[in-house]
Amino acid sequence: MAALRRERVEELLGDGARVASIADLGSSHAWTLHRVSLDGGGELFVKAAPDQAGVFAAEAAGLRWLAAGGGAEPPVPEVVAADEHMLVLPWLPTAAPTARAAERFGRELAAMHAASPPAAYGASWEGFIADLPLDNTLVEGAWPGWYAERRLAPFLRRGASDLGPDGVRLVERVIEGIDALAGPPEPPARVHGDLWSGNVLWTDGRAMVIDPAAHGGHRETDLAMLALFGAPHLDRVVAAYDEAAALADGWRERVPLHQLHPLLVHVALFGAGYRSRTVEAARAALASAG
């Protein structure tokens, strides 16, 4: 793991910032993770890599965009600094998730989705999920076609060899039938886009979202992603969300449809070990049409 030079951090922070110490926290995908303590107090979280211009730029843009439109108290950390080699966020101390914090998170997530709704699906910056590119082409039409063309089809192509002919055909059937599977029309919402439980940081009395693949999308996508690998107090999160911004009838049956994209991403990243879950999600999505 490459050492993070304190001089580079100080240069990026500017304003006479001085680094007291750096603790290396390991790595994720192509980048290293660090906890930085500053002279005079204060701590920061730093992601670093030799060349992650697009990835770090997309993450910084997404966090700023979610915060800018996310209601009175968006659950999004400030971007302290970013360039093509580093992303700097505040250090957020972790705490055990509680039912009260989960309810607050549900309300804040609903507010983030609803505040200053975007005019189109997609985003104005190049997208990434992990270190894989996402097609964020802005589309003012209906969500189902955008989701099928910009999220499902590209990752079906990437994972076709691991899914096999039968798996590919199931996902193709979802794409072909997307209009009947998508439920009632929804306007674009400011969604996190990669809201699995590992991207929800529980801190003192609330939850904050990190590592977004943010875009104008369907709000059910974020809730489905929370359920994919299990989030603490998910029932409280969803109940508080639904109370703040009622979900459309049938949203539970559409969870597999919204989970299909992240599962295809996992096939692309990690191979055939995710084939069975992806196939199950495709079958469940098709079954939801009755």
Side-chain angles (χ1 to χ4, degrees), residues 147-231:
Y147 181 64
E149 182 177 352
R150 309 295 176 185
R151 291 296 182 262
L152 297 183
F155 289 92
L156 176 59
R157 290 191 291 270
R158 281 180 174 271
S161 61
D162 288 312
L163 289 171
D166 291 344
V168 168
R169 184 57 193 144
L170 275 171
V171 179
E172 287 176 340
R173 287 176 57 200
V174 173
I175 291 172
E176 291 162 4
I178 191 72
D179 288 333
L181 302 176
E186 289 258 355
R190 289 185 187 240
V191 301
H192 178 282
D194 190 16
L195 199 59
W196 73 288
S197 58
N199 285 342
V200 180
L201 180 62
W202 298 89
T203 186
D204 187 19
R206 69 184 307 202
M208 302 288 279
V209 300
I210 57 173
D211 296 346
H215 63 278
H218 197 303
R219 63 195 182 118
E220 290 176 13
T221 294
D222 277 351
L223 296 175
M225 191 66 175
L226 282 173
L228 184 57
F229 299 114

Coordinates of all heavy atoms in Angstrom, one line a residue, residues 147-231:
Y147 N -33.5 3.3 -17.3 CA -32.9 2.3 -16.4 C -32.5 1.0 -17.3 O -31.4 0.5 -17.1 CB -33.9 1.8 -15.4 CG -33.5 0.8 -14.4 CD1 -32.5 1.1 -13.5 CD2 -34.1 -0.4 -14.4 CE1 -32.1 0.1 -12.6 CE2 -33.8 -1.4 -13.4 CZ -32.7 -1.1 -12.5 OH -32.4 -2.1 -11.6
A148 N -33.3 0.6 -18.2 CA -33.0 -0.5 -19.0 C -31.7 -0.3 -19.9 O -30.8 -1.1 -20.0 CB -34.1 -0.9 -19.9
E149 N -31.7 0.9 -20.5 CA -30.6 1.2 -21.4 C -29.3 1.6 -20.8 O -28.2 1.3 -21.2 CB -31.1 2.3 -22.4 CG -30.0 2.7 -23.5 CD -30.5 3.7 -24.4 OE1 -31.8 4.1 -24.4 OE2 -29.7 4.2 -25.3
R150 N -29.4 2.4 -19.7 CA -28.2 3.0 -19.1 C -27.7 2.2 -17.9 O -26.6 2.5 -17.4 CB -28.5 4.4 -18.6 CG -29.2 5.3 -19.6 CD -28.3 5.6 -20.8 NE -29.0 6.4 -21.8 CZ -28.5 6.7 -23.0 NH1 -27.3 6.3 -23.3 NH2 -29.2 7.4 -23.9
R151 N -28.5 1.3 -17.3 CA -28.1 0.6 -16.1 C -28.0 -0.9 -16.3 O -27.1 -1.6 -16.0 CB -29.0 0.9 -14.9 CG -28.8 2.4 -14.4 CD -27.4 2.6 -13.9 NE -27.2 4.0 -13.3 CZ -26.7 5.0 -14.0 NH1 -26.3 4.8 -15.3 NH2 -26.5 6.1 -13.4
L152 N -29.1 -1.5 -16.9 CA -29.2 -2.9 -17.0 C -28.3 -3.4 -18.2 O -27.5 -4.3 -18.1 CB -30.6 -3.4 -17.1 CG -31.5 -3.1 -15.9 CD1 -32.9 -3.7 -16.2 CD2 -30.9 -3.7 -14.6
A153 N -28.6 -2.9 -19.4 CA -28.0 -3.4 -20.6 C -26.4 -3.4 -20.5 O -25.8 -4.4 -20.9 CB -28.5 -2.7 -21.8
P154 N -25.8 -2.2 -20.1 CA -24.3 -2.2 -20.1 C -23.7 -3.3 -19.2 O -22.7 -3.9 -19.5 CB -24.0 -0.8 -19.6 CG -25.2 0.0 -19.9 CD -26.4 -0.9 -19.7
F155 N -24.3 -3.5 -18.0 CA -23.7 -4.5 -17.1 C -24.1 -5.9 -17.5 O -23.4 -6.9 -17.1 CB -24.1 -4.1 -15.7 CG -23.4 -2.9 -15.2 CD1 -23.9 -1.6 -15.4 CD2 -22.1 -3.0 -14.7 CE1 -23.2 -0.5 -15.0 CE2 -21.4 -1.8 -14.4 CZ -21.9 -0.6 -14.5
L156 N -25.2 -6.1 -18.2 CA -25.5 -7.4 -18.7 C -24.4 -7.8 -19.7 O -24.0 -8.9 -19.7 CB -26.9 -7.4 -19.4 CG -27.3 -8.7 -20.1 CD1 -27.3 -9.9 -19.2 CD2 -28.6 -8.5 -20.8
R157 N -24.0 -6.9 -20.6 CA -22.9 -7.2 -21.5 C -21.6 -7.5 -20.8 O -20.9 -8.4 -21.2 CB -22.7 -6.0 -22.5 CG -23.8 -5.7 -23.5 CD -23.5 -4.7 -24.5 NE -23.3 -3.4 -24.0 CZ -24.3 -2.5 -23.9 NH1 -25.5 -2.9 -24.4 NH2 -24.1 -1.3 -23.5
R158 N -21.3 -6.8 -19.7 CA -20.1 -7.0 -19.0 C -20.1 -8.4 -18.3 O -19.1 -9.0 -18.2 CB -19.9 -5.9 -17.9 CG -19.4 -4.6 -18.4 CD -19.2 -3.7 -17.2 NE -18.6 -2.4 -17.6 CZ -17.2 -2.2 -17.6 NH1 -16.4 -3.2 -17.2 NH2 -16.7 -1.1 -17.9
G159 N -21.3 -8.8 -17.8 CA -21.4 -10.0 -17.1 C -21.9 -11.2 -17.8 O -22.1 -12.3 -17.2
A160 N -22.1 -11.1 -19.1 CA -22.7 -12.2 -19.9 C -22.0 -13.5 -19.8 O -22.7 -14.6 -19.6 CB -22.8 -11.8 -21.4
S161 N -20.7 -13.5 -19.8 CA -20.0 -14.8 -19.8 C -20.2 -15.5 -18.4 O -20.2 -16.8 -18.4 CB -18.5 -14.6 -20.0 OG -17.9 -13.8 -19.0
D162 N -20.3 -14.8 -17.3 CA -20.6 -15.4 -16.0 C -22.0 -15.7 -15.8 O -22.3 -16.7 -15.0 CB -20.1 -14.4 -14.9 CG -18.6 -14.4 -14.8 OD1 -17.9 -15.4 -14.8 OD2 -18.1 -13.2 -14.8
L163 N -22.9 -15.0 -16.4 CA -24.4 -15.3 -16.3 C -24.8 -16.5 -17.1 O -25.7 -17.3 -16.7 CB -25.2 -14.1 -16.7 CG -25.2 -12.9 -15.7 CD1 -25.9 -11.7 -16.4 CD2 -25.8 -13.3 -14.4
G164 N -24.1 -16.8 -18.2 CA -24.5 -17.9 -19.1 C -25.7 -17.5 -19.9 O -26.4 -16.6 -19.6
P165 N -26.0 -18.3 -21.0 CA -27.1 -18.0 -21.9 C -28.4 -17.9 -21.2 O -29.2 -17.0 -21.5 CB -27.1 -19.2 -22.9 CG -25.7 -19.7 -22.8 CD -25.2 -19.5 -21.4
D166 N -28.7 -18.8 -20.2 CA -30.0 -18.8 -19.6 C -30.2 -17.5 -18.7 O -31.2 -16.9 -18.7 CB -30.2 -20.0 -18.7 CG -30.4 -21.3 -19.5 OD1 -30.6 -21.1 -20.8 OD2 -30.3 -22.4 -19.0
G167 N -29.1 -17.2 -18.0 CA -29.1 -16.0 -17.2 C -29.3 -14.7 -18.0 O -30.0 -13.8 -17.7
V168 N -28.5 -14.7 -19.1 CA -28.6 -13.5 -20.0 C -30.0 -13.4 -20.5 O -30.6 -12.2 -20.6 CB -27.6 -13.7 -21.2 CG1 -27.9 -12.6 -22.2 CG2 -26.2 -13.5 -20.6
R169 N -30.6 -14.5 -20.9 CA -32.0 -14.4 -21.5 C -33.0 -13.9 -20.5 O -33.9 -13.1 -20.8 CB -32.4 -15.8 -22.0 CG -33.8 -15.7 -22.7 CD -33.8 -14.7 -23.8 NE -35.2 -14.5 -24.3 CZ -35.6 -13.3 -24.7 NH1 -34.8 -12.3 -24.7 NH2 -36.8 -13.2 -25.1
L170 N -32.9 -14.3 -19.2 CA -33.8 -13.8 -18.2 C -33.7 -12.3 -18.0 O -34.7 -11.6 -17.9 CB -33.4 -14.5 -16.8 CG -34.1 -15.8 -16.5 CD1 -33.5 -16.4 -15.3 CD2 -35.6 -15.7 -16.4
V171 N -32.4 -11.8 -18.0 CA -32.3 -10.3 -17.8 C -32.8 -9.6 -19.1 O -33.4 -8.5 -19.0 CB -30.8 -10.0 -17.5 CG1 -30.6 -8.4 -17.4 CG2 -30.3 -10.6 -16.2
E172 N -32.5 -10.2 -20.2 CA -33.1 -9.6 -21.5 C -34.6 -9.5 -21.4 O -35.2 -8.5 -21.9 CB -32.6 -10.4 -22.7 CG -31.2 -10.3 -23.0 CD -30.8 -11.2 -24.2 OE1 -31.5 -12.2 -24.4 OE2 -29.7 -10.9 -24.8
R173 N -35.2 -10.5 -20.8 CA -36.7 -10.5 -20.7 C -37.2 -9.3 -19.8 O -38.2 -8.7 -20.1 CB -37.2 -11.8 -20.2 CG -37.2 -12.9 -21.2 CD -37.6 -14.3 -20.5 NE -39.0 -14.1 -20.0 CZ -39.5 -15.0 -19.0 NH1 -38.7 -15.9 -18.6 NH2 -40.7 -14.8 -18.6
V174 N -36.4 -9.1 -18.7 CA -36.7 -7.9 -17.9 C -36.6 -6.6 -18.7 O -37.4 -5.7 -18.6 CB -35.7 -7.9 -16.7 CG1 -35.9 -6.6 -15.9 CG2 -36.0 -9.1 -15.8
I175 N -35.5 -6.5 -19.5 CA -35.3 -5.3 -20.3 C -36.4 -5.1 -21.3 O -37.0 -4.0 -21.4 CB -33.9 -5.4 -21.0 CG1 -32.8 -5.2 -19.9 CG2 -33.8 -4.3 -22.0 CD1 -31.4 -5.5 -20.5
E176 N -36.8 -6.2 -21.9 CA -37.9 -6.1 -22.9 C -39.2 -5.8 -22.3 O -40.1 -5.1 -22.9 CB -38.0 -7.5 -23.6 CG -36.8 -7.8 -24.5 CD -36.7 -9.3 -24.9 OE1 -37.6 -10.0 -24.5 OE2 -35.8 -9.7 -25.5
G177 N -39.5 -6.2 -21.0 CA -40.7 -6.0 -20.4 C -40.7 -4.8 -19.4 O -41.6 -4.7 -18.5
I178 N -39.7 -4.0 -19.4 CA -39.5 -3.0 -18.4 C -40.7 -2.1 -18.1 O -41.0 -1.7 -17.0 CB -38.2 -2.2 -18.7 CG1 -37.7 -1.4 -17.5 CG2 -38.4 -1.3 -19.9 CD1 -37.2 -2.2 -16.3
D179 N -41.4 -1.7 -19.2 CA -42.5 -0.8 -19.0 C -43.6 -1.4 -18.1 O -44.2 -0.6 -17.3 CB -43.1 -0.4 -20.3 CG -42.1 0.6 -21.1 OD1 -41.4 1.3 -20.5 OD2 -42.2 0.5 -22.4
A180 N -43.8 -2.7 -18.2 CA -44.8 -3.3 -17.4 C -44.4 -3.6 -16.0 O -45.2 -3.8 -15.1 CB -45.3 -4.6 -18.1
L181 N -43.1 -3.6 -15.8 CA -42.5 -4.0 -14.5 C -42.2 -2.8 -13.6 O -42.1 -3.0 -12.4 CB -41.2 -4.8 -14.7 CG -41.3 -6.1 -15.6 CD1 -39.9 -6.6 -15.7 CD2 -42.2 -7.1 -14.9
A182 N -42.1 -1.6 -14.2 CA -41.6 -0.5 -13.4 C -42.6 0.2 -12.5 O -42.1 1.0 -11.7 CB -41.1 0.6 -14.4
G183 N -43.8 -0.1 -12.5 CA -44.8 0.5 -11.6 C -45.2 1.9 -12.1 O -44.9 2.3 -13.2
P184 N -45.9 2.6 -11.2 CA -46.4 3.9 -11.6 C -45.3 4.9 -11.9 O -44.2 4.8 -11.4 CB -47.2 4.4 -10.4 CG -47.4 3.2 -9.6 CD -46.3 2.3 -9.9
P185 N -45.5 5.8 -12.9 CA -44.5 6.8 -13.2 C -44.0 7.6 -11.9 O -44.9 7.9 -11.1 CB -45.1 7.7 -14.2 CG -46.2 6.9 -14.8 CD -46.7 6.1 -13.7
E186 N -42.8 7.9 -11.8 CA -42.2 8.7 -10.8 C -41.3 9.8 -11.4 O -40.6 9.5 -12.3 CB -41.3 7.8 -9.8 CG -42.1 6.9 -9.0 CD -42.3 7.4 -7.5 OE1 -41.7 8.4 -7.2 OE2 -43.0 6.7 -6.8
P187 N -41.4 11.0 -10.8 CA -40.4 12.0 -11.3 C -39.0 11.7 -10.9 O -38.8 10.9 -9.9 CB -40.9 13.3 -10.7 CG -41.6 12.8 -9.4 CD -42.2 11.5 -9.8
P188 N -38.0 12.2 -11.5 CA -36.6 12.0 -11.1 C -36.4 12.5 -9.7 O -37.0 13.5 -9.2 CB -35.8 12.8 -12.1 CG -36.7 13.0 -13.3 CD -38.1 13.1 -12.7
A189 N -35.6 11.7 -8.9 CA -35.3 12.1 -7.5 C -33.8 12.1 -7.4 O -33.0 11.5 -8.2 CB -35.9 11.1 -6.6
R190 N -33.3 12.9 -6.4 CA -31.8 12.9 -6.2 C -31.5 11.6 -5.4 O -31.6 11.6 -4.2 CB -31.5 14.1 -5.4 CG -31.6 15.4 -6.1 CD -31.1 16.6 -5.3 NE -31.3 17.8 -6.1 CZ -30.4 18.7 -6.5 NH1 -29.1 18.5 -6.2 NH2 -30.7 19.8 -7.2
V191 N -31.0 10.6 -6.1 CA -30.7 9.3 -5.4 C -29.2 9.2 -5.2 O -28.4 9.7 -6.0 CB -31.3 8.1 -6.2 CG1 -32.8 8.3 -6.3 CG2 -30.7 8.0 -7.5
H192 N -28.9 8.4 -4.2 CA -27.5 8.1 -3.9 C -26.9 7.2 -5.0 O -25.8 7.3 -5.4 CB -27.4 7.4 -2.5 CG -26.0 7.0 -2.1 ND1 -25.5 5.8 -2.6 CD2 -25.2 7.5 -1.2 CE1 -24.3 5.7 -2.0 NE2 -24.1 6.7 -1.2
G193 N -27.7 6.1 -5.3 CA -27.3 5.3 -6.4 C -26.5 4.0 -6.1 O -26.4 3.1 -6.9
D194 N -25.9 4.0 -4.9 CA -25.2 2.8 -4.5 C -25.3 2.6 -2.9 O -24.4 2.4 -2.2 CB -23.7 3.0 -4.8 CG -22.9 1.7 -4.6 OD1 -23.5 0.6 -4.5 OD2 -21.6 1.8 -4.6
L195 N -26.6 2.7 -2.5 CA -26.9 2.8 -1.1 C -27.0 1.4 -0.4 O -28.0 1.1 0.3 CB -28.2 3.6 -0.9 CG -28.3 4.2 0.5 CD1 -27.2 5.1 0.9 CD2 -29.7 5.0 0.6
W196 N -25.9 0.6 -0.5 CA -25.9 -0.6 0.3 C -25.5 -0.2 1.7 O -25.0 0.9 2.0 CB -25.0 -1.6 -0.4 CG -23.5 -1.4 -0.3 CD1 -22.8 -0.4 -1.0 CD2 -22.6 -2.1 0.5 NE1 -21.5 -0.5 -0.6 CE2 -21.3 -1.5 0.3 CE3 -22.7 -3.2 1.4 CZ2 -20.2 -2.0 0.9 CZ3 -21.5 -3.6 2.0 CH2 -20.3 -3.0 1.8
S197 N -25.6 -1.2 2.6 CA -25.4 -0.8 4.0 C -24.0 -0.3 4.3 O -23.8 0.5 5.2 CB -25.8 -2.0 4.9 OG -25.0 -3.2 4.6
G198 N -23.0 -0.8 3.6 CA -21.7 -0.4 3.8 C -21.4 1.1 3.4 O -20.4 1.7 3.8
N199 N -22.3 1.7 2.7 CA -22.2 3.1 2.4 C -23.1 4.0 3.2 O -23.3 5.2 2.9 CB -22.5 3.3 0.9 CG -21.4 2.9 0.0 OD1 -20.3 2.7 0.4 ND2 -21.7 2.7 -1.3
V200 N -23.6 3.4 4.3 CA -24.3 4.2 5.3 C -23.5 4.2 6.6 O -23.2 3.1 7.2 CB -25.7 3.6 5.6 CG1 -26.4 4.4 6.7 CG2 -26.5 3.5 4.4
L201 N -23.0 5.3 7.0 CA -22.1 5.5 8.2 C -23.0 6.0 9.3 O -23.5 7.1 9.3 CB -21.0 6.4 7.9 CG -20.0 6.6 9.0 CD1 -19.3 5.3 9.4 CD2 -19.0 7.7 8.6
W202 N -23.1 5.1 10.4 CA -23.8 5.5 11.5 C -22.9 6.2 12.5 O -21.9 5.7 12.9 CB -24.4 4.2 12.2 CG -25.4 3.5 11.3 CD1 -25.0 2.5 10.4 CD2 -26.8 3.7 11.2 NE1 -26.2 2.1 9.7 CE2 -27.2 2.8 10.2 CE3 -27.7 4.6 11.8 CZ2 -28.6 2.8 9.8 CZ3 -29.0 4.5 11.5 CH2 -29.5 3.6 10.5
T203 N -23.3 7.4 12.8 CA -22.6 8.3 13.7 C -23.4 8.7 14.8 O -24.4 8.0 15.1 CB -22.0 9.5 12.9 OG1 -21.1 10.2 13.7 CG2 -23.0 10.3 12.3
D204 N -23.1 9.7 15.5 CA -23.9 10.1 16.8 C -25.3 10.5 16.5 O -25.5 11.7 16.0 CB -23.1 11.2 17.5 CG -23.7 11.5 18.9 OD1 -24.4 10.6 19.4 OD2 -23.4 12.6 19.4
G205 N -26.3 9.7 16.7 CA -27.7 10.0 16.5 C -28.2 10.1 15.1 O -29.4 10.4 15.0
R206 N -27.4 9.7 14.1 CA -27.9 9.8 12.8 C -27.1 8.9 11.9 O -26.1 8.3 12.3 CB -27.9 11.2 12.3 CG -26.6 11.8 12.0 CD -26.6 13.3 11.6 NE -27.5 13.5 10.5 CZ -27.4 14.6 9.7 NH1 -26.4 15.5 9.9 NH2 -28.2 14.8 8.7
A207 N -27.5 8.9 10.6 CA -26.7 8.1 9.6 C -26.3 9.1 8.5 O -27.0 10.1 8.2 CB -27.5 7.0 9.0
M208 N -25.1 8.9 7.9 CA -24.6 9.7 6.8 C -24.3 8.8 5.6 O -23.9 7.6 5.9 CB -23.4 10.5 7.2 CG -23.6 11.4 8.4 SD -24.5 12.8 8.0 CE -23.3 13.9 7.3
V209 N -24.5 9.2 4.4 CA -24.3 8.4 3.3 C -23.0 8.8 2.6 O -22.6 10.0 2.5 CB -25.4 8.5 2.2 CG1 -26.7 8.0 2.9 CG2 -25.6 9.9 1.7
I210 N -22.2 7.8 2.2 CA -20.9 8.0 1.6 C -20.8 7.2 0.3 O -21.7 6.5 -0.1 CB -19.8 7.6 2.5 CG1 -19.9 6.2 2.9 CG2 -19.7 8.5 3.8 CD1 -18.8 5.6 3.8
D211 N -19.8 7.4 -0.5 CA -19.5 6.7 -1.7 C -20.6 6.6 -2.7 O -21.0 5.5 -3.1 CB -19.0 5.3 -1.3 CG -17.7 5.2 -0.6 OD1 -17.0 6.2 -0.5 OD2 -17.4 4.2 0.0
P212 N -21.2 7.7 -3.1 CA -22.4 7.7 -3.9 C -22.1 7.4 -5.4 O -20.9 7.6 -5.9 CB -23.0 9.1 -3.8 CG -21.8 9.9 -3.6 CD -20.9 9.1 -2.7
A213 N -23.1 6.9 -6.1 CA -23.1 6.9 -7.6 C -24.3 7.8 -7.9 O -25.2 7.3 -8.6 CB -23.2 5.5 -8.1
A214 N -24.3 9.0 -7.4 CA -25.5 9.9 -7.4 C -25.9 10.2 -8.8 O -25.1 10.4 -9.8 CB -25.1 11.1 -6.6
H215 N -27.2 10.3 -9.0 CA -27.8 10.7 -10.2 C -29.3 11.0 -10.0 O -29.9 10.7 -9.0 CB -27.6 9.6 -11.3 CG -28.3 8.3 -10.9 ND1 -27.7 7.4 -10.1 CD2 -29.5 7.8 -11.3 CE1 -28.6 6.4 -10.0 NE2 -29.6 6.6 -10.7
G216 N -29.9 11.6 -11.0 CA -31.4 11.7 -11.0 C -31.9 10.3 -11.4 O -31.7 9.8 -12.5
G217 N -32.7 9.7 -10.4 CA -33.1 8.3 -10.7 C -34.4 8.1 -10.0 O -35.2 9.0 -9.7
H218 N -34.7 6.8 -9.7 CA -36.0 6.4 -9.1 C -35.7 6.2 -7.6 O -34.8 5.5 -7.2 CB -36.4 5.1 -9.7 CG -37.9 4.8 -9.5 ND1 -38.4 4.6 -8.2 CD2 -38.9 4.5 -10.4 CE1 -39.7 4.3 -8.3 NE2 -40.0 4.2 -9.6
R219 N -36.6 6.8 -6.8 CA -36.3 6.8 -5.3 C -36.4 5.4 -4.7 O -35.7 5.1 -3.8 CB -37.3 7.7 -4.6 CG -38.7 7.3 -4.7 CD -39.6 8.5 -4.3 NE -41.0 8.1 -4.3 CZ -41.9 8.1 -3.3 NH1 -41.4 8.5 -2.1 NH2 -43.1 7.8 -3.4
E220 N -37.2 4.5 -5.4 CA -37.2 3.1 -4.9 C -35.9 2.4 -5.0 O -35.6 1.4 -4.3 CB -38.3 2.3 -5.6 CG -39.7 2.7 -5.3 CD -40.8 2.0 -6.1 OE1 -40.4 1.0 -6.8 OE2 -41.9 2.4 -6.1
T221 N -35.0 2.9 -5.9 CA -33.7 2.3 -6.1 C -32.9 2.3 -4.8 O -32.2 1.3 -4.4 CB -32.9 3.0 -7.2 OG1 -33.6 2.8 -8.5 CG2 -31.5 2.5 -7.3
D222 N -32.9 3.5 -4.1 CA -32.1 3.6 -2.9 C -32.6 2.6 -1.8 O -31.9 2.0 -1.1 CB -32.1 5.0 -2.4 CG -31.0 5.9 -3.1 OD1 -30.2 5.3 -3.8 OD2 -31.0 7.1 -2.8
L223 N -33.9 2.5 -1.7 CA -34.5 1.7 -0.6 C -34.3 0.2 -1.0 O -34.0 -0.6 -0.1 CB -36.0 1.9 -0.5 CG -36.4 3.3 -0.1 CD1 -37.9 3.5 -0.1 CD2 -35.9 3.6 1.4
A224 N -34.3 -0.2 -2.2 CA -34.0 -1.5 -2.6 C -32.6 -1.9 -2.4 O -32.3 -3.0 -1.9 CB -34.4 -1.7 -4.1
M225 N -31.7 -0.9 -2.6 CA -30.3 -1.2 -2.3 C -30.0 -1.4 -0.8 O -29.2 -2.2 -0.4 CB -29.4 0.0 -2.9 CG -28.0 -0.3 -3.0 SD -27.5 -1.6 -4.1 CE -25.7 -1.5 -4.0
L226 N -30.7 -0.6 0.0 CA -30.5 -0.8 1.4 C -30.9 -2.2 1.9 O -30.3 -2.8 2.8 CB -31.4 0.2 2.2 CG -30.9 1.7 2.3 CD1 -32.0 2.5 3.0 CD2 -29.6 1.7 3.2
A227 N -31.9 -2.8 1.2 CA -32.3 -4.1 1.5 C -31.4 -5.2 1.0 O -31.5 -6.4 1.4 CB -33.8 -4.3 1.0
L228 N -30.6 -4.9 0.0 CA -29.9 -5.9 -0.7 C -29.0 -6.8 0.1 O -29.0 -8.0 0.1 CB -29.1 -5.3 -1.9 CG -28.4 -6.3 -2.8 CD1 -29.3 -7.3 -3.4 CD2 -27.6 -5.5 -3.9
F229 N -28.2 -6.1 1.0 CA -27.3 -6.9 1.9 C -27.7 -6.7 3.3 O -26.9 -7.0 4.2 CB -25.8 -6.5 1.6 CG -25.4 -6.7 0.2 CD1 -25.1 -5.7 -0.7 CD2 -25.3 -8.1 -0.3 CE1 -24.7 -6.0 -2.0 CE2 -24.9 -8.3 -1.6 CZ -24.6 -7.3 -2.4
G230 N -28.8 -6.1 3.6 CA -29.3 -5.9 5.0 C -28.7 -4.7 5.6 O -27.5 -4.5 5.8
A231 N -29.6 -3.8 6.0 CA -29.2 -2.6 6.7 C -29.8 -2.6 8.1 O -31.0 -3.1 8.3 CB -29.7 -1.3 6.0

